[in-house]
DNA sequence: GTAGGGTTAG
């Protein structure tokens, strides 16, 4: 056979295989492969690479492996196609093993290999391995390659090393939409929402053209901040720039509006969606759950079942369960667990069982909750014991409370909040000796809790207050407004709940500490600045304390103001002295 | 030929 003949055949095979890859036609590819074998056309390294891509794309790992094993010589493309195939299908560890074999075989990785293998490290949480690969990359010229760099900065960001991610980002000779999105997403995923939004704004001013992934990331960050005005502006950008993958963006928008306390906007988007994914349903259900609107959750879940297009996943089940709990529908939630969640074939995690403990706790069935914990197929964690202890305090059950508290302090001895909860349980029954012992234990073992922080949107800006704050420009006016509110609501029956104060000081000092709580500062600021016709919307990083909750209820009643307070786990919608949480959170 | 970033829950 002449050289020319081989060339013509090669071109034909190449074109046919290329078409098969584009159409994802495994059968077509296998026909070409069979023909190549029949005509004894020696498998060319190049065509072998194409076949591997095709097999991998169709999820046929054995086929890809066979081609790979039978190749007379394996070049970097063949290795990379194999590694990439495993990575794209979620088999990260296999991808990493193959990469090691590649190094041992003496084949040098290229920028394609490094980009994909770093993704595998990130997704497999093999951050140390990623760091070692980074040191290999440093010796090659690929560190400043934009694909390798994006993958590398993503690895650092996802392992919590945002500073190192930033060093990689700033070392890139050029920036594009993916590298910029990776760093924004890095901030957002670490909860550094403000930093994510600031960087987004800066890059936007620099003229980077963003796409749907970037907008989804920044909307997540804005959800965290509950920055409604900015969220609305981003929504405008999204509409004007006619982004593709609009479902993903609509999902993010539903979440953003829900978490900003604007459920009506969220539902409007949901209702108009031409197509929905399970995330769309979960986001909308999550909105109702956080707002404690139990009936809406059940209605929406039923609608999802009736449409019969999308199956519930483990998040759906979790959201419905926690929604029933937040929405005061304990019995419906428990029935849902037994009749739906356990039977629908979806794998349940410890969080689902945690919701059941919460539901039983709210229903006052504490002995039953304890038995449930003993029988569940998971080792109980701090969240489970904490939930039970909280319920014991609300229902004044000391027997179960003591058991839950003991386990809680064993599981999570560093969390000061746990000691406070147990201490309060003892104090509410006048068991001062036991309360004092717990307090002593806390001094020895617990670390300082995260400082309380509340914020409120006014004039397109987020105004942030910390507990005992001295940093806000109008701190004096705000503090004197808090005192004014306190005096006025005391006349209507409010008494400060001094048990919420950790410090060992006299009652007068305790009251002073309470008046400095961040949510009271934010509330006073809202009362000073937000027009009476509008509800006051406040965000808090921790759970709202008992005293601030009661304070807010009295303010809503005495001043006829509608308040919407979002704490770490839910919304408290307070109108005329009543809260949507029914005083259980 | 082979490559990088994403949305819900906890």
């Amino acid at each position: 056979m002449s050289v020319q003949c081989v060339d013509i055949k090669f071109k034909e095979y190449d074109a046919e295989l290329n078409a098969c890859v584009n159409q994802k036609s495994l059968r077509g590819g296998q026909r070409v492969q069979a023909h190549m074998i029949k005509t004894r056309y020696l498998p060319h390294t190049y065509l072998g690479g194409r076949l591997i891509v095709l097999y991998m794309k169709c999820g046929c790992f054995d086929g890809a492996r066979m081609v790979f094993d039978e190749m007379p010589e394996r070049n970097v493309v063949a290795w990379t196609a194999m590694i990439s195939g495993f990575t794209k299908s979620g088999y990260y560890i296999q991808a990493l093993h193959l990469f090691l074999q590649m190094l041992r075989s003496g084949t040098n990785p290229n920028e394609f290999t490094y980009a994909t293998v770093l993704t595998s490290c990130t997704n497999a949480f093999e951050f140390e391995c990623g760091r070692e690969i980074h040191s290999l990359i440093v010796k090659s010229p690929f560190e400043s390659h934009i694909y390798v760099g994006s993958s590398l900065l993503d690895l650092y960001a996802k392992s919590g090393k945002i500073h190192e991610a930033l060093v990689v980002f700033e070392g890139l000779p050029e920036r594009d939409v993916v590298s910029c999105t990776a760093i924004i997403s890095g901030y957002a995923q670490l909860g550094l929402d403000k930093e994510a939004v600031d960087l987004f704004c800066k890059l936007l001013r620099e003229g980077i053209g963003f796409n749907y992934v970037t907008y989804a990331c920044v909307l997540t960050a804005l959800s965290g901040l509950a920055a409604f005005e900015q969220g609305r502006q981003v929504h405008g950008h999204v509409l004007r720039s006619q982004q593709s993958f609009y479902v993903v963006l609509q999902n993010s928008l539903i979440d953003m509006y829900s978490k900003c306390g604007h459920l009506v906007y969220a539902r409007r988007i949901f209702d108009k969606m031409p197509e929905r994914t399970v995330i769309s349903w979960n986001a909308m259900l999550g909105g109702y759950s956080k707002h404690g609107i139990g009936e809406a959750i059940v209605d929406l879940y039923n609608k999802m079942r009736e449409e019969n297009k999308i199956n519930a996943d483990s998040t759906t089940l979790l959201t419905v369960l926690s929604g029933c709990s937040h929405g005061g529908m304990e019995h419906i939630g428990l029935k849902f667990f037994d009749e739906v969640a356990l039977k629908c074939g979806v794998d349940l995690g410890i969080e689902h069982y945690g919701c059941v403990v919460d539901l039983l706790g709210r229903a006052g069935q504490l002995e039953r909750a304890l038995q449930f914990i003993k029988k569940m197929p998971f080792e109980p964690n701090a969240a489970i014991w904490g939930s039970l202890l909280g319920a014991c305090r609300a229902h004044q059950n000391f027997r179960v409370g003591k058991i839950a508290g003991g386990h809680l302090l064993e599981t999570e001895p560093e969390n000061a909040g746990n000691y406070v909860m147990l201490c309060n349980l003892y104090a509410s029954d006048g068991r001062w000796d036991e309360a004092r012992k717990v307090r002593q234990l806390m001094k020895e073992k617990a670390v300082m809790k995260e400082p309380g922080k509340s914020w409120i949107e006014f004039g397109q800006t987020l105004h942030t207050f910390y507990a005992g704050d001295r940093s806000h420009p109008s701190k004096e006016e705000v503090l004197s407004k808090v005192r004014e509110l306190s005096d006025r609501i005391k006349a209507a029956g409010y008494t400060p709940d001094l048990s919420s104060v950790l410090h060992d000081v006299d009652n007068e000092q305790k009251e002073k500490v309470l008046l400095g709580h961040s949510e009271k500062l934010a509330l006073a600021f809202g009362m000073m600045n937000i027009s009476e016709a509008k509800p006051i919307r406040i965000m808090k990083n921790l759970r709202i304390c008992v005293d601030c909750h009661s304070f807010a209820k009295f303010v809503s009643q005495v001043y006829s103001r509608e308040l919407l307070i979002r704490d770490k786990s839910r919304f408290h919608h307070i109108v005329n002295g009543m809260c949507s949480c029914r005083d259980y959170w």
Side-chain angles (χ1 to χ4, degrees):
Chain A
M1 198 187 286
S2 74
V3 173
Q4 217 177 6
C5 268
V6 172
D7 243 356
I8 290 167
K9 263 201 150 165
F10 168 78
K11 279 186 179 166
E12 277 175 13
Y13 282 139
D14 186 39
E16 280 181 48
L17 283 177
N18 194 24
C20 293
V21 170
N22 288 336
Q23 292 160 18
K24 246 179 130 174
S25 164
L26 187 57
R27 284 200 168 185
Q30 282 169 331
R31 265 201 300 276
V32 177
Q33 191 183 8
H35 195 263
M36 278 160 62
I37 292 167
K38 199 173 149 192
T39 58
R40 295 191 186 155
Y41 183 80
L42 280 176
H44 197 289
T45 308
Y46 189 101
L47 294 180
R50 273 237 196 280
L51 272 170
I52 291 172
V53 172
L54 175 65
Y55 276 115
M56 280 297 192
K57 215 173 171 181
C58 299
C60 184
F61 302 115
D62 290 345
R65 186 85 218 193
M66 239 144 76
V67 176
F68 182 73
D69 285 344
E70 283 168 13
M71 281 170 87
E73 56 171 299
R74 297 174 198 115
N75 63 1
V76 59
V77 176
W79 281 102
T80 308
M82 287 294 290
I83 295 170
S84 151
F86 280 125
T87 305
K88 281 187 179 134
S89 302
Y91 294 99
Y92 309 119
I93 298 298
Q94 283 87 334
L96 292 177
H97 278 305
L98 214 55
F99 178 72
L100 285 180
Q101 279 178 34
M102 175 185 182
L103 293 179
R104 276 192 221 113
S105 79
T107 314
N108 283 326
N110 62 12
E111 65 273 38
F112 291 78
T113 330
Y114 283 128
T116 192
V117 81
L118 284 171
T119 307
S120 269
C121 290
T122 307
N123 293 337
F125 303 104
E126 292 285 348
F127 300 123
E128 263 318 302
C129 182
R131 202 179 269 277
E132 280 174 36
I133 293 173
H134 186 186
S135 58
L136 285 180
I137 296 171
V138 172
K139 294 177 197 150
S140 72
F142 300 123
E143 195 185 19
S144 53
H145 186 278
I146 192 144
Y147 280 60
V148 179
S150 308
S151 220
L152 195 54
L153 81 87
D154 188 49
L155 174 102
Y156 282 120
K158 294 223 172 81
S159 62
K161 308 214 179 311
I162 193 71
H163 181 72
E164 279 158 284
L166 203 59
V167 170
V168 176
F169 180 68
E170 283 173 350
L172 289 175
E174 48 170 342
R175 287 170 182 181
D176 68 356
V177 58
V178 176
S179 53
C180 291
T181 306
I183 189 78
I184 292 171
S185 146
Y187 278 116
Q189 283 174 12
L190 289 171
L192 300 165
D193 296 324
K194 189 171 181 303
E195 289 80 354
V197 174
D198 288 348
L199 187 58
F200 170 84
C201 293
K202 182 172 165 261
L203 294 170
L204 195 67
R205 281 195 299 273
E206 286 174 13
I208 298 274
F210 289 138
N211 64 16
Y212 81 99
V213 183
T214 332
Y215 286 111
C217 290
V218 80
L219 283 167
T220 303
L222 291 165
S223 297
L225 293 168
F228 174 63
E229 284 303 329
Q230 265 182 301
R232 215 154 48 161
Q233 283 172 24
V234 170
H235 189 178
H237 272 287
V238 166
L239 292 175
R240 281 193 297 277
S241 56
Q242 297 189 323
Q243 296 290 323
S244 58
F245 285 91
Y246 203 50
V247 186
V248 173
L249 282 168
Q250 284 174 314
N251 294 344
S252 298
L253 286 164
I254 290 171
D255 181 55
M256 184 273 293
Y257 283 123
S258 297
K259 288 189 181 150
C260 288
H262 290 272
L263 269 182
V264 176
Y265 290 177
R267 183 62 194 246
R268 206 173 290 160
I269 292 172
F270 180 85
D271 283 338
K272 283 189 184 158
M273 286 175 86
E275 55 168 321
R276 301 184 185 110
T277 62
V278 69
I279 296 179
S280 323
W281 291 93
N282 293 348
M284 196 62 239
L285 286 165
Y288 290 129
S289 168
K290 281 235 170 356
H291 283 80
I293 309 177
E295 300 80 4
I297 291 167
V298 174
D299 285 352
L300 197 65
Y301 177 78
N302 287 338
K303 189 173 150 76
M304 182 180 182
R305 290 287 306 276
E306 280 158 23
E307 283 193 12
N308 206 17
K309 283 185 197 158
I310 305 236
N311 288 326
D313 67 4
S314 89
T315 304
T316 320
L317 303 177
L318 191 63
T319 310
V320 172
L321 288 168
S322 80
C324 286
S325 199
H326 284 161
M329 300 176 71
E330 296 88 355
H331 298 289
I332 291 177
L334 290 169
K335 197 167 169 234
F336 182 82
F337 181 78
D338 286 335
E339 293 176 10
V340 181
L342 280 177
K343 290 181 183 163
C344 67
V346 173
D347 280 341
L348 302 181
I350 191 166
E351 300 89 352
H352 298 84
Y353 286 81
C355 279
V356 174
V357 173
D358 213 38
L359 286 161
L360 288 169
R362 277 162 202 266
Q365 301 187 25
L366 301 163
E367 297 287 346
R368 203 176 140 199
L370 188 60
Q371 294 312 314
F372 180 82
I373 293 174
K374 283 182 183 165
K375 277 191 282 179
M376 69 183 194
F378 294 95
E379 196 60 39
N381 58 16
I384 302 249
W385 291 122
S387 160
L388 185 61
L389 178 58
C392 290
R393 195 201 164 188
H395 295 285
Q396 298 280 297
N397 183 321
F398 302 101
R399 198 195 83 80
V400 178
K402 206 171 168 177
I403 297 171
H407 285 296
L408 183 60
L409 298 190
E410 233 170 66
T411 330
E412 205 183 47
E414 71 283 1
N415 185 341
N418 296 339
Y419 296 85
V420 177
M421 236 197 302
L422 187 57
C423 197
N424 286 344
L425 178 80
Y426 286 132
S428 65
D429 193 37
R431 305 178 185 203
W432 307 112
D433 273 354
E434 280 160 303
R436 207 171 299 127
K437 273 183 208 156
V438 175
R439 201 169 276 271
Q440 186 58 37
L441 207 59
M442 176 175 80
K443 277 187 189 158
E444 289 163 17
K445 294 199 171 174
V447 291
M448 278 301 292
K449 62 170 190 167
E450 190 184 344
K453 179 174 96 174
S454 297
W455 63 102
I456 179 167
E457 193 173 53
F458 173 64
Q460 309 232 351
T461 316
L462 297 176
H463 294 260
T464 308
F465 297 88
Y466 296 88
D469 200 9
R470 293 276 173 271
S471 64
H472 194 270
S474 41
K475 61 198 177 226
E476 292 307 329
E477 295 95 309
V478 170
L479 207 58
S480 89
K481 184 75 181 176
V482 175
R483 284 194 211 101
E484 179 197 317
L485 295 175
S486 172
D487 289 342
R488 174 108 183 251
I489 62 175
K490 269 182 183 169
Y494 161 74
T495 37
D497 183 342
L498 304 178
S499 73
S500 311
V501 182
L502 293 171
H503 316 279
D504 236 347
V505 289
D506 62 40
N507 284 356
E508 198 182 325
Q509 282 297 313
K510 280 189 181 175
E511 197 178 334
K512 216 170 175 180
V513 172
L514 283 179
L515 287 175
H517 275 189
S518 63
E519 53 269 59
K520 291 199 188 77
L521 301 175
L523 174 58
F525 181 83
M527 293 290 284
M528 288 157 62
N529 293 295
I530 291 174
S531 93
E532 285 186 18
K534 286 186 182 172
I536 297 175
R537 296 164 193 275
I538 296 167
M539 276 65 66
K540 169 145 202 210
N541 64 335
L542 309 171
R543 280 196 180 188
I544 187 170
C545 87
V546 180
D547 182 64
C548 287
H549 194 261
S550 143
F551 189 97
K553 287 200 301 179
F554 273 102
V555 167
S556 81
Q557 191 171 28
V558 173
Y559 291 86
S560 302
R561 291 295 301 248
E562 182 181 350
L563 310 175
L564 209 62
I565 305 178
R566 190 186 86 178
D567 76 1
K568 201 176 183 182
S569 66
R570 61 167 298 151
F571 275 92
H572 298 263
H573 191 186
I574 305 177
V575 183
N576 200 20
M578 305 273 277
C579 182
S580 59
C581 79
R582 300 163 179 83
D583 300 336
Y584 193 125
W585 70 95

